[in-house]
Amino acid sequence: MMLHRVLLMCGVASVGAFSPPPVLRSVARVRTPRACWKLPQPAATSPEGGGDQAEMSDRNPLKRDVGKPLRTQSEGDGTLTIPKEAAVVGTPQKKEEKSYDIETILKELQAIQNTGPKKYVILGTRHGSFMHSQIIELLSYALVLTGNHIFTSGSPGTNAAAIRGALRAERPELLTVILPQSLSRQPAESQELLAQVEDVQETPMNDNLSLDAASRICNSLLLSRAESLIAFAFHESSTVIEATKEAKSLDMVVTVLYLD
């Protein structure tokens, strides 16, 4: 009773009406907003759709315009420009053949005279016109007259013209004729001309060979005696052309005059 009275004095109607305030135990959930990832938006393109292609071509070095500077690791500004047109280098490994006429031969004779005496081999075809024989005879005459030594063979045609020109210079010590075989195996007209030559060297050991084989051996012997070769040939003169190739392999000065 005493407790009831005390409670009434405190303003509480009854013990059952008294209850402690409820305790809030619920915890509020804090939600973190998810990250929003933004995808790259396509670049604005023209109505023709050329924007994307232009951007991709800038990224691809293989599709850049020719002439556009490329970044390199070189010194200076670090750029390299590709030329729009291919460089023309020609054919450096191909040696051009010269065309010879009377004036060219006379100029070379003057140049030969200025270089001093040398040893020359004159070889050529058996067949040629009268004008060709005159040119060869004039060349041989000029060479001997300026103190050069002439080596040749005894066959008709080019070699006979070289012998006649050297004899005209009246310096027999500057003319040497090497025969492919014995003197007795040479034509009659060649034997008559060779009778005027002081230095005639025979090769009787080649008498059992064909004239073509003996001539090739004789040409090699002539090339071993001189420094330069002057050859007169047609494009089908296989023996003479072979001698020019051999002379080039020996680092000789070779001049070839084609008659066709």
Side-chain angles (χ1 to χ4, degrees), residues 62-77:
L62 299 179
K63 295 184 178 180
R64 291 179 179 175
D65 295 337
V66 177
K68 187 176 182 180
L70 297 178
R71 298 295 299 178
T72 61
Q73 296 181 355
S74 60
E75 298 179 356
D77 56 355

Side-chain angles (χ1 to χ4, degrees), residues 59-232:
R59 295 180 180 178
N60 189 351
L62 299 179
K63 295 184 178 180
R64 291 179 179 175
D65 295 337
V66 177
K68 187 176 182 180
L70 297 178
R71 298 295 299 178
T72 61
Q73 296 181 355
S74 60
E75 298 179 356
D77 56 355
T79 59
L80 175 65
T81 303
I82 301 177
K84 294 183 179 181
E85 297 181 358
V88 180
V89 297
T91 53
Q93 302 300 327
K94 184 178 180 180
K95 188 176 182 179
E96 297 182 358
E97 296 182 357
K98 298 181 181 179
S99 59
Y100 290 88
D101 52 13
I102 298 296
E103 295 182 0
T104 304
I105 294 175
L106 292 178
K107 290 180 181 179
E108 293 198 358
L109 288 175
Q110 184 65 31
I112 290 172
Q113 184 178 1
N114 296 333
T115 56
K118 291 184 178 180
K119 297 179 180 179
Y120 289 87
V121 175
I122 298 180
L123 294 175
T125 178
R126 297 170 178 265
H127 311 286
S129 64
F130 177 74
M131 184 184 68
H132 292 151
S133 298
Q134 285 185 321
I135 294 174
I136 298 169
E137 188 173 338
L138 176 61
L139 174 64
S140 178
Y141 171 76
L143 288 174
V144 174
L145 199 63
T146 53
N148 298 282
H149 197 120
I150 299 298
F151 293 84
T152 187
S153 187
S155 59
T158 299
N159 301 339
I163 294 174
R164 289 194 299 268
L167 292 175
R168 284 178 53 192
E170 297 182 352
R171 299 189 63 177
E173 71 280 3
L174 296 180
L175 174 62
T176 299
V177 178
I178 301 178
L179 302 178
Q181 294 173 329
S182 299
L183 179 60
S184 59
R185 299 180 65 89
Q186 306 303 313
E189 56 179 344
S190 297
Q191 293 186 25
E192 182 179 355
L193 181 62
L194 292 172
Q196 307 175 41
V197 181
E198 293 185 0
D199 187 8
V200 178
Q201 301 179 14
E202 306 179 47
T203 54
M205 69 287 298
N206 297 332
D207 288 347
N208 58 340
L209 301 177
S210 63
L211 180 60
D212 182 68
S215 297
R216 296 175 189 273
I217 297 175
C218 179
N219 291 342
S220 298
L221 183 59
L222 286 168
L223 294 178
S224 64
R225 300 286 187 89
E227 305 166 353
S228 302
L229 169 64
I230 302 176
F232 297 84

